[in-house]
Amino acid sequence: MLNHRIYNFSSGPAVLPVPVLEKAREEMLSYRGCGMSVMEISHRSSQFEAILESAKQGIRDLLQIPNNYQILFLQGGASLQFSMIPMNFLAGGGSADYVITGTWSEKALAEADRCGSTRIISTKKDGGYKAVPTQEELRFSPDALYVHYVSNETIHGVEFTYDLDGHGTPVICDASSNILSKAIDVEKYALIYAGAQKNIGPSGVTVVIIRDDLLETAPKNQQSILDYRNFAEHGSMPNTPNTWGIYIISLVCDWLHAQGGLASMEKRNKEKAALLYAAIDSSDGFYAGHAERQARSQMNVTFRLASEGLERKFCEEADANGLNGLKGHRSVGGVRASIYNAFPKSGVETLVDFMNDFAARNS
Ligand code: PMP
């Protein structure tokens, strides 16, 4: 049982690739023969500098990030970005546009409202956060300092299928739950951020990809630990970074390369999600998908059963069958299967079999 693995559908912290865990185990006691684990090495050592560089380069290569973007590793989760963004780019005056497609965009907006003036240019709240706006629906404010959106709403399971085009307005995107799941056009964005604990690594490290021209607009008198420029100038190390988290990110990037990069991940992710949505759609209404079809997330598949009691039973029985973490977020209920990059197709197939069987037994 020591190395027993279950199918982990958790929304984050989430499943990591087994080869990454094995590599970390192999290198645990003595990282590349240096006699220390990564957690014990100084962040100023040449070994750690190489790890950080490898993580950075890995992300740059996978997402094909041009040189006029900095890749930073911060702490404080994606939630700190909800505050840091407006503190740096809004607090000086002016207004920012927010697109609201679920809980995480609401939270980002609430923090921005503490800093300055915002405008909601689109909200899908009335429909119960089942959809995302099309590009054509979006009307940016002519004077907006930036537009913020969440490319995949982890709780509601709705995802943008396109890179939002700001038509001149800098686009800021919370990509916490779908970063590295598919190729994106980075040049459409001024800033992309993501908490690592879903698709990139462990919790406690946040990846920020920021374009130089936006960085230059950050105020010079910002508190230094909240100042993007400070992180950029000091190679993400104005203070002690999450060394272990960055190490795991470097291993995840190596693994993604070995899998054929993001085009290959996108293909696999589409296949996995299609299997689950097909099971929902062919259940004669026993399972009801939350998201509208065109907004269905490839990462977080959300659905309901006829009653909360049945949902509880579903999750309990699934858990007993080695399918863990399916309970929907406490704020919305239902069932949520998070199937990030590292989640194996065999786990999705096992869940589909379980769903069919459960429906047959409980119809
Ligand atoms: N944004 C999104 C899309 C998320 O899914 C989450 C976490 N589930 C957050 C932000 C907040 O991340 P953290 O807990 O790292 O602050």
Side-chain angles (χ1 to χ4, degrees):
M1 284 299 274
L2 207 56
N3 291 329
H4 167 66
R5 303 273 300 166
I6 56 162
Y7 289 125
N8 173 13
F9 290 91
S10 168
S11 62
V15 58
L16 283 163
V18 170
V20 166
L21 298 175
E22 285 171 344
K23 182 85 177 160
R25 177 177 62 184
E26 192 189 303
E27 295 182 328
M28 178 63 86
L29 289 185
S30 180
Y31 175 72
R32 310 225 167 145
C34 78
M36 298 172 274
S37 80
V38 171
M39 281 179 277
E40 301 166 301
I41 306 175
S42 163
H43 61 297
R44 303 288 174 204
S45 64
S46 57
Q47 288 103 330
F48 184 71
E49 277 179 5
I51 290 171
L52 191 138
E53 204 42 49
S54 153
K56 222 159 59 172
Q57 196 59 44
I59 294 172
R60 195 176 287 283
D61 291 346
L62 285 164
L63 282 168
Q64 298 183 6
I65 301 174
N67 285 335
N68 61 327
Y69 288 77
Q70 309 281 330
I71 300 168
L72 311 176
F73 299 106
L74 277 71
Q75 299 184 55
S79 300
L80 181 61
Q81 295 309 301
F82 296 164
S83 303
M84 258 177 91
I85 288 160
M87 286 169 97
N88 279 278
F89 305 120
L90 181 61
S95 174
D97 284 352
Y98 276 73
V99 177
I100 308 298
T101 50
T103 303
W104 297 110
S105 26
E106 277 184 1
K107 285 186 187 285
L109 174 70
E111 297 305 319
D113 281 339
R114 290 166 182 252
C115 280
S117 163
T118 59
R119 199 172 146 237
I120 297 173
I121 57 160
S122 170
T123 175
K124 296 293 176 188
K125 188 171 188 170
D126 278 354
Y129 292 132
K130 293 182 173 181
V132 299
T134 60
Q135 175 75 55
E136 293 68 39
E137 266 174 78
L138 298 172
R139 295 275 173 276
F140 305 109
S141 310
D143 54 349
L145 290 164
Y146 62 82
V147 54
H148 179 281
Y149 82 112
V150 179
S151 53
N152 183 67
E153 283 282 356
T154 323
I155 293 176
H156 294 87
V158 293
E159 182 171 14
F160 283 76
T161 52
Y162 62 94
D163 299 300
L164 197 147
D165 190 335
H167 294 295
T169 303
V171 175
I172 296 186
C173 177
D174 174 356
S176 292
S177 49
N178 67 353
I179 194 165
L180 301 181
S181 70
K182 57 186 175 185
I184 56 168
D185 181 359
V186 171
E187 288 184 87
K188 287 252 170 70
Y189 300 89
L191 192 159
I192 301 169
Y193 64 97
Q197 66 270 26
K198 296 150 199 313
N199 247 343
I200 333 179
S203 60
V205 52
T206 310
V207 175
V208 172
I209 301 161
I210 182 168
R211 204 171 58 206
D212 288 339
D213 61 331
L214 181 68
L215 189 61
E216 278 156 26
T217 67
K220 296 238 161 53
N221 59 352
Q222 184 58 264
Q223 294 284 321
S224 59
I225 204 69
L226 302 172
D227 178 3
Y228 292 106
R229 197 184 279 113
N230 188 26
F231 279 84
E233 281 171 3
H234 295 94
S236 290
M237 297 204 288
N239 69 331
T240 319
N242 177 345
T243 53
W244 177 258
I246 293 168
Y247 163 64
I248 299 293
I249 290 177
S250 75
L251 297 184
V252 169
C253 289
D254 292 348
W255 179 78
L256 286 169
H257 273 297
Q259 302 306 301
L262 300 192
S264 151
M265 292 323 295
E266 179 171 3
K267 185 164 167 283
R268 278 197 230 175
N269 288 329
K270 271 194 179 142
E271 282 167 7
K272 288 187 294 181
L275 283 175
L276 265 182
Y277 286 118
I280 292 169
D281 293 341
S282 61
S283 71
D284 283 334
F286 186 85
Y287 302 108
H290 173 80
E292 286 175 10
R293 271 164 201 269
Q294 60 278 17
R296 283 176 160 177
S297 169
Q298 307 285 311
M299 297 280 101
N300 310 98
V301 177
T302 47
F303 55 96
R304 308 287 321 220
L305 280 74
S307 69
E308 283 182 23
L310 203 55
E311 287 168 351
R312 204 172 315 116
K313 188 173 178 214
F314 178 92
C315 292
E316 281 168 9
E317 280 189 28
D319 198 19
N321 282 281
L323 302 166
N324 183 262
L326 284 162
K327 195 167 170 291
H329 190 272
R330 60 191 180 283
S331 64
V332 295
V335 180
R336 170 175 53 172
S338 298
I339 47 172
Y340 302 119
N341 280 341
F343 192 90
K345 190 175 174 191
S346 60
V348 174
E349 289 163 346
T350 308
L351 174 60
V352 167
D353 287 346
F354 174 78
M355 286 168 73
N356 291 337
D357 181 56
F358 187 87
R361 285 187 287 112
N362 290 279
S363 292

